[in-house]
Amino acid sequence: MKVVFVGGWATSEQQYPQLAESARFLVPFTGFDSAELPDLIAEGGDVLIGWSTGAHMLLKECRHLFARYGRVVLIAPFLSFTDSFPKRLVKGMIAGMENDPAAVVRSFHENCGESDIPPYAPDDAAQLVAGLEYLVSSKIEIDGKIFSSNLTLVHADGDRIVRRKAFDKVAAAAGDVQIMEIAGGHKISEVELMNIIKG
């Protein structure tokens, strides 16, 4: 099975080691920028997964490529990050990255519900700041409905990063697609994620 996974801000392969071994694992900002994503996923495959920022980027840049995959799964998607996470808090994270980037990343992972927080890589600071600036400004304008019959949207009931109101805006724009409600926080467990992939 060919699986492509597009992670979120400050994502690490250590968060999903089983998936990283079996799928193409793409990390925004530290691994690619949004303009590069269409070329990275253009080949197609069995399952395309976007989580959080990855889900946003796929919706914004790659909807025309969804048909090249058997299934597309967007976990914690949003049209605008600030629909859920106030701009002042993102700006605070940007300011904090100048003084103690490791603490900012750690706090973010804690708010995601991460139980085993991956270590911070100091070389990633500039790209992570660029990622936060992207999240402040990036918005998706959808004219009509997305209408992708192979699309599944996933939301966790305890998500403190992409809250229900932000998810609902995506669902309203998505037309007749599958909606999956699960228990957990923003960072869903690898067991749950692998079960979703298996369908």
Side-chain angles (χ1 to χ4, degrees):
M1 178 181 289
K2 183 176 179 182
V3 178
V4 178
F5 174 82
V6 186
W9 186 80
T11 294
S12 164
E13 291 186 4
Q14 291 173 271
Q15 293 176 284
Y16 293 119
Q18 184 181 350
L19 180 66
E21 286 183 2
S22 60
R24 185 167 186 204
F25 200 102
L26 303 174
V27 181
F29 313 120
T30 57
F32 67 90
D33 66 42
S34 62
E36 296 173 303
L37 187 55
D39 287 341
L40 292 173
I41 71 157
E43 186 177 322
D46 297 301
V47 184
L48 175 64
I49 306 163
W51 171 37
S52 191
T53 298
H56 174 80
M57 287 182 170
L58 288 173
L59 272 177
K60 186 174 184 179
E61 308 289 350
C62 303
R63 293 197 303 275
H64 62 293
L65 299 172
F66 286 0
R68 298 187 186 185
Y69 288 82
R71 294 170 54 225
V72 178
V73 180
L74 302 181
I75 302 166
F78 51 85
L79 300 181
S80 170
F81 191 59
T82 55
D83 285 341
S84 174
F85 205 84
K87 184 181 288 189
R88 63 180 172 76
L89 294 183
V90 185
K91 292 286 192 181
M93 290 173 69
I94 292 171
M97 289 291 290
E98 294 182 9
N99 301 318
D100 192 349
V104 173
V105 174
R106 181 174 188 84
S107 176
F108 177 76
H109 282 303
E110 288 172 349
N111 284 327
C112 289
E114 180 71 66
S115 58
D116 187 14
I117 295 173
Y120 167 70
D123 291 345
D124 292 345
Q127 294 99 320
L128 291 175
V129 170
L132 291 171
E133 291 169 345
Y134 172 90
L135 288 171
V136 168
S137 62
S138 181
K139 292 177 174 49
I140 299 173
E141 302 291 340
I142 295 178
D143 183 15
K145 298 287 186 180
I146 296 169
F147 286 128
S148 184
S149 60
N150 62 345
L151 179 60
T152 299
L153 304 178
V154 181
H155 183 258
D157 60 3
D159 193 334
R160 296 170 56 188
I161 305 297
V162 178
R163 298 180 188 273
R164 184 78 212 194
K165 64 180 181 179
F167 177 83
D168 284 345
K169 287 186 177 183
V170 178
D176 186 18
V177 301
Q178 181 180 359
I179 306 292
M180 184 180 297
E181 303 282 353
I182 62 174
H186 186 64
K187 192 262 182 178
I188 69 173
S189 72
E190 185 161 52
V191 170
E192 182 87 63
L193 181 55
M194 297 306 285
N195 285 336
I196 290 171
I197 291 170
K198 292 170 186 173

